[in-house]
Amino acid sequence: MEHEVFVPVPAERLREVLDDPARVARAVPGLQQDAGAEPVAGRLKIRVGSHSVTYRGAVRISRRGDDAYAVEGEAEESRGSGSVKLSLRIALRAAEDGCTVVYDGTASADGRIKDLPADAVESAVTRLLNRFAEHLAAAATGADVEAPTPPPPAPSGQGTGTEAEEKAPADPGLTEEPPASPERPSVFGADVPPSSLGPEAGEDQDDEEDIAEAAHARRTMIGRSAEEVDHAPPRGRYAPVPAPQTVTPPAPLRWAAPAAALAVASAIVAVRALRRRR
């Protein structure tokens, strides 16, 4: 693996940063340091195409006699059995109005990243090296990048370990996550627009009552469960029509027919009895 990056900073200024492990850790894009661990140790999430792989490990950097720097690193996947080993040489070559950071080394990996396309992996590594050189230049010019903070401890009752690591934010340049969409307004808080058709004569009062009933329905539905809203009876013009009631006759009329039938039967019996006597 060979790669070169030009930065508008003299080589001597960059060497001052590379000689300080703490400043080197702050220059690694997206690195979240472990509390109480080595300066260049922690968790790093890398975006490879449409996939993301999170590694936890450490990197050791040392200066050689030829003014170059040797970088040795090992890391393992936070969720998986994959691992990666890195052996890199960083040299600073003087150039006009700055210097060129030359990367030369090898890396071996297995696990998830081995199954990803080679061009996507190469693009992700190139992007990481470019941003690392930019952060070194920013630290050398005094505009030091913000120190990475360790992830906060997970509260009781929630996931810990690797689950908390996956939820921790990563560097926006590596993850390239799209921005969150704004919250959509609720339809219950919107005003009812007036009708574009003019009201007919005699219907103004009915329309006002309908609008008032609709506003009351919106207010009563807020804070209620879906089951309560579904079983709530409709109001206004959509209210159910009550069933017609059966009209029952008054009590005197209800007894008139049996009494008349009894009187007629008595008269017939009396007439037959008189005929027999004759």
Side-chain angles (χ1 to χ4, degrees):
M1 178 178 59
E2 297 180 357
H3 186 63
E4 297 183 0
V5 183
F6 173 79
V7 292
V9 177
E12 294 300 329
R13 302 287 298 275
L14 287 184
R15 289 191 178 93
E16 296 177 0
V17 179
L18 291 173
D19 290 335
D20 187 355
R23 301 177 71 182
V24 173
R26 291 194 295 267
V28 178
L31 175 65
Q32 295 189 356
Q33 290 182 266
D34 295 335
E38 300 179 26
V40 192
R43 188 182 68 91
L44 181 63
K45 184 176 181 180
I46 302 179
R47 170 74 67 172
V48 181
S50 59
H51 304 271
S52 60
V53 185
T54 303
Y55 290 99
R56 175 178 293 279
V59 174
R60 294 168 297 277
I61 182 169
S62 58
R63 188 169 183 174
R64 291 182 173 180
D66 54 353
D67 291 338
Y69 294 85
V71 180
E72 301 290 336
E74 297 179 357
E76 296 181 353
E77 294 182 6
S78 296
R79 302 183 64 179
S81 57
S83 61
V84 60
K85 294 183 179 181
L86 174 69
S87 178
L88 192 65
R89 178 179 178 272
I90 302 178
L92 304 179
R93 187 174 61 204
E96 185 178 359
D97 299 332
C99 69
T100 302
V101 181
V102 181
Y103 300 99
D104 184 11
T106 59
S108 60
D110 56 4
R112 294 177 54 193
I113 199 170
K114 190 176 180 180
D115 300 332
L116 300 177
D119 54 347
V121 176
E122 182 180 358
S123 177
V125 174
T126 301
R127 183 169 61 250
L128 179 63
L129 295 178
N130 289 341
R131 298 201 55 171
F132 177 65
E134 294 174 0
H135 288 185
L136 288 177
T141 56
D144 204 352
V145 294
E146 184 179 357
T149 57
S156 59
Q158 296 185 2
T160 58
T162 57
E163 295 181 1
E165 294 172 359
E166 293 296 332
K167 295 180 182 179
D171 184 71
L174 298 177
T175 57
E176 301 178 356
E177 295 290 343
S181 58
E183 184 180 358
R184 300 179 61 182
S186 174
V187 296
F188 295 105
D191 297 333
V192 179
S195 176
S196 58
L197 302 177
E200 298 181 1
E203 293 186 356
D204 294 342
Q205 185 176 0
D206 296 340
D207 294 342
E208 292 178 358
E209 293 178 356
D210 294 341
I211 294 175
E213 292 177 358
H216 177 71
R218 286 198 303 270
R219 290 193 299 269
T220 55
M221 282 190 291
I222 297 175
R224 301 169 63 185
S225 64
E227 183 178 358
E228 292 176 343
V229 174
D230 293 340
H231 291 79
R235 302 179 180 180
R237 65 175 65 182
Y238 302 104
V241 179
Q245 299 179 357
T246 305
V247 180
T248 58
L253 296 180
R254 185 171 54 188
W255 294 103
L262 180 60
V264 172
S266 301
I268 293 175
V269 172
V271 171
R272 288 182 180 180
L274 291 176
R275 285 181 181 179
R276 289 177 182 176
R277 288 182 181 181
R278 293 179 182 178

